[in-house]
Amino acid sequence: MPVLSSPIKTETSPRPFSPSNNPFLTKSPAPYSRPASKRLIPRLEPDEVSAKVGLASLPVQHERMCNRKGAKFTMILAGCSGTGKSTFLNTLFGVPLDEHKEETSSIFFDIRERKYELTEGNFDLQLTTVDVPGFGAKMDNQYSWMPIVKYIDHYFRRYMLQEEQPDRSKLEDNRVHVCLYFIQPSNTSLSALDLESMKEISKRVNLIPVVARSDTLNRDELMEFKNTINKTLAAFDIGVCKFISDQEVIDKIHLVSPYAVVGSNATFENSEGKLVRARKYHWGMVEIENPEHCDFLALREILMSEHMLDLIQSTEAHYNAYRRLCLRDRLERAADNAFRQPPSLDDDEDGLASYLLYKKSLPWSTIMSQDDVDAEDAQLSNEVRKNLEEYVRKTELSIKEWRQSLVRKQAEFNEDLKSIHIRISELRNECHRLKNGGSKESDQDAASPILKNEYLGE
Ligand SMILES: Nc1nc2c(ncn2[C@@H]2O[C@H](COP(=O)(O)OP(=O)(O)OP(=O)(O)O)[C@@H](O)[C@H]2O)c(=O)[nH]1
């Protein structure tokens, strides 16, 4: 795996990528500065503590821990081909990542997964980037977002299964922390593919919409496009980083979102004589790290120097939502199976019977009074009784008809039998008469006992 030393740092970089800049790490827990409220536990002011216990060094401890462990960060770059995803990544880390890429053999044939190890100061970052070659380039793009969603769910499921094992010491966490969705620059609106994809992705992971190659729009067009995107996202209830718990961070992200980015690895001298990364045109230069020109710096701050840990932590909330759904589904299926045998509370080792009873009582207890429940129960049992009576009546009727048809058939068989016997007797008499050459009368007398006996069935 390639180990990349510090990404290019320019003077305009406001905060280099380091955990020491992260508010999560450096913010004091301020145990003594919370607003006064009714407390059950008495608060000890610093002067009342005879000796310092060292609480103030907790952030330092935390920072040390983070430095030791490093971090794992997984980022999906979604969007159509040619929207500048690879260029953006190289610009973000200040190094041509393409030259160091180590493609891992992903179990998903339609996903490109790359892993990098980045080091800055004494902090290690294991970065995984994921993209979908051919996204939006098929004849039918209705389900282009499927590989992304499958990838996210796969790693949630794997994490959940590992968590359920007795030994969790080797727990491997490859959950996705953020998805940058690259929107084609246009001054119209979002495509159906963009909408559908962002809707599905935002349910599972922190979504950050990005206006790709934003230097192809002028300032007014860009503002209008950003407004349209925000309105459309709100209308379709697509949340941007909606699981981050800190409202300040959410507000900060929403203030700029969607992020208009420009990517380039070429450096040029700007009007102040500084060497900066930029895209140069005959009409001028777009500086990547100039907030006047694009939102690259703001996005880098969110992803790297300021809020990476917020993104990582909020993944837990996304994961919990997934886990809740999975476990509920698993219980529902187990409950369905259990319904085949009536649940017994005496033998309720796994709590399933209690769950069934709880589930049975839940809709009523939350929305209906006991009288309503009784009335509902009475109506339900009435319906069941009526259905049962109807079923019994119909069954009895069909049995009766079936019995009558049997009797009718038996009578027909008897009739047939009777005529066959008569015919046999007649033939026998005829045989006797021919054999003896006698008169018809004597033959008849001799045959009559046979006829009589056979006819009577004796
Ligand atoms: N004008 C402009 N062009 C850009 C920008 N970023 C990238 N490009 C150009 O767009 C083209 C495609 O860039 P890539 O980074 O390869 O795009 P991609 O999304 O990774 O493409 P795939 O690898 O096919 O998915 C290249 O010619 C880049 O030089 C940008 O911000 N503005």
Side-chain angles (χ1 to χ4, degrees):
M1 193 169 301
V3 177
L4 310 174
S5 54
S6 307
I8 296 171
K9 280 184 235 162
T10 60
E11 290 197 5
T12 42
S13 310
R15 287 166 201 260
F17 164 50
S18 156
S20 58
N21 289 336
N22 199 300
F24 177 76
L25 299 173
T26 53
K27 228 189 252 169
S28 161
Y32 306 118
S33 60
R34 292 198 189 108
S37 60
K38 281 187 187 170
R39 285 176 169 274
L40 295 175
I41 305 169
R43 184 166 61 190
L44 294 175
E45 295 300 336
D47 337 340
E48 294 174 43
V49 184
S50 53
K52 292 220 168 189
V53 289
L55 289 181
S57 67
L58 268 178
V60 182
Q61 287 182 37
H62 206 125
E63 181 177 340
R64 228 184 291 135
M65 246 165 67
C66 273
N67 277 341
R68 203 171 45 236
K69 285 204 289 190
K72 256 185 161 184
F73 191 62
T74 302
M75 178 159 59
I76 293 182
L77 300 153
C80 295
S81 176
T83 42
K85 301 182 292 292
S86 314
T87 313
F88 170 79
L89 254 190
N90 294 341
T91 316
L92 186 66
F93 291 102
V95 279
L97 283 179
D98 285 1
E99 291 170 14
H100 302 272
K101 68 187 169 201
E102 182 172 304
E103 266 183 52
T104 52
S105 50
S106 171
I107 53 165
F108 300 96
F109 72 94
D110 37 12
I111 285 278
R112 192 163 49 193
E113 192 185 52
R114 290 166 181 169
K115 289 188 186 292
Y116 310 93
E117 229 166 70
L118 303 165
T119 306
E120 190 170 85
N122 49 3
F123 187 78
D124 293 333
L125 175 72
Q126 287 179 38
L127 174 76
T128 306
T129 63
V130 176
D131 74 319
V132 188
F135 180 92
K138 299 192 183 104
M139 289 288 279
D140 179 6
N141 289 313
Q142 207 182 349
Y143 299 109
S144 283
W145 46 268
M146 276 290 252
I148 298 176
V149 163
K150 267 202 217 159
Y151 184 89
I152 299 169
D153 286 354
H154 171 76
Y155 282 109
F156 275 161
R157 188 164 54 249
R158 261 185 74 159
Y159 190 77
M160 194 179 86
L161 293 177
Q162 289 179 75
E163 259 195 330
E164 288 172 351
Q165 302 310 311
D167 178 12
R168 293 192 286 176
S169 56
K170 294 198 179 95
L171 198 133
E172 198 186 333
D173 185 2
N174 289 320
R175 292 173 296 174
V176 180
H177 302 113
V178 68
C179 173
L180 302 184
Y181 190 91
F182 284 70
I183 301 165
Q184 296 267 25
S186 78
N187 43 8
T188 54
S189 185
L190 291 172
S191 67
L193 169 67
D194 292 337
L195 273 177
E196 200 58 39
S197 308
M198 283 198 272
K199 196 173 177 89
E200 289 303 324
I201 293 167
S202 70
K203 287 180 199 165
R204 293 164 167 85
V205 76
N206 290 310
L207 168 80
I208 301 185
V210 166
V211 179
R213 297 192 286 133
S214 65
D215 55 324
T216 54
L217 299 176
N218 68 33
R219 190 180 289 265
D220 292 341
E221 284 169 345
L222 185 61
M223 283 304 123
E224 203 184 315
F225 190 42
K226 282 176 88 167
N227 275 339
T228 313
I229 292 175
N230 280 336
K231 278 186 199 153
T232 318
L233 292 185
F236 284 85
D237 199 22
I238 298 172
V240 173
C241 293
K242 61 181 172 193
F243 275 113
I244 290 185
S245 54
D246 188 336
Q247 192 55 41
E248 260 182 45
V249 178
I250 293 189
D251 292 344
K252 187 174 165 186
I253 294 173
H254 284 197
L255 193 68
V256 187
S257 172
Y259 289 79
V261 296
V262 179
S264 167
N265 295 309
T267 48
F268 300 95
E269 203 170 291
N270 69 4
S271 53
E272 292 160 16
K274 273 190 203 161
L275 210 56
V276 290
R277 273 180 295 168
R279 291 193 88 85
K280 203 167 182 185
Y281 297 100
H282 65 273
W283 46 262
M285 204 162 72
V286 183
E287 293 177 31
I288 310 296
E289 294 175 17
N290 185 341
E292 294 290 313
H293 295 186
C294 71
D295 303 326
F296 174 82
L297 266 190
L299 183 56
R300 190 172 74 183
E301 230 176 72
I302 302 291
L303 290 176
M304 297 288 136
S305 58
E306 296 275 339
H307 300 298
M308 179 190 273
L309 288 181
D310 285 302
L311 293 170
I312 293 178
Q313 274 190 339
S314 60
T315 299
E316 207 59 40
H318 283 285
Y319 165 69
N320 281 336
Y322 172 85
R323 188 172 168 274
R324 215 171 20 247
L325 273 180
C326 269
L327 292 184
R328 195 181 298 159
D329 180 55
R330 203 188 280 175
L331 262 179
E332 299 279 1
R333 270 188 281 135
D336 278 351
N337 288 339
F339 261 129
R340 289 176 197 154
Q341 296 160 357
S344 147
L345 280 175
D346 301 336
D347 183 25
D348 189 20
E349 270 181 27
D350 53 3
L352 200 57
S354 318
Y355 170 74
L356 289 178
L357 291 180
Y358 159 76
K359 191 173 166 261
K360 208 175 161 206
S361 68
L362 194 62
W364 314 122
S365 60
T366 50
I367 56 172
M368 291 174 112
S369 71
Q370 191 53 43
D371 288 348
D372 290 335
V373 175
D374 292 345
E376 190 88 9
D377 277 353
Q379 194 189 343
L380 204 70
S381 53
N382 253 350
E383 263 174 40
V384 172
R385 201 181 315 122
K386 258 193 215 161
N387 287 345
L388 193 65
E389 281 170 4
E390 180 66 13
Y391 175 75
V392 170
R393 196 184 62 76
K394 278 187 181 162
T395 314
E396 278 179 352
L397 196 72
S398 66
I399 290 175
K400 205 172 156 188
E401 281 172 359
W402 178 62
R403 201 183 286 149
Q404 282 172 351
S405 79
L406 277 184
V407 171
R408 260 198 316 276
K409 268 189 189 152
Q410 181 144 23
E412 281 169 19
F413 283 141
N414 283 346
E415 278 301 310
D416 286 351
L417 214 56
K418 197 170 139 188
S419 54
I420 289 169
H421 279 304
I422 292 171
R423 181 73 187 136
I424 290 172
S425 301
E426 284 172 358
L427 289 174
R428 275 196 187 144
N429 289 344
E430 186 69 12
C431 284
H432 264 280
R433 195 180 62 77
L434 290 175
K435 220 191 255 175
N436 300 333
S439 67
K440 222 174 184 181
E441 287 77 29
S442 63
D443 289 347
Q444 226 166 14
D445 286 347
S448 56
I450 301 167
L451 173 67
K452 198 179 166 195
N453 288 347
E454 283 193 2
Y455 179 69
L456 295 172
E458 286 169 4

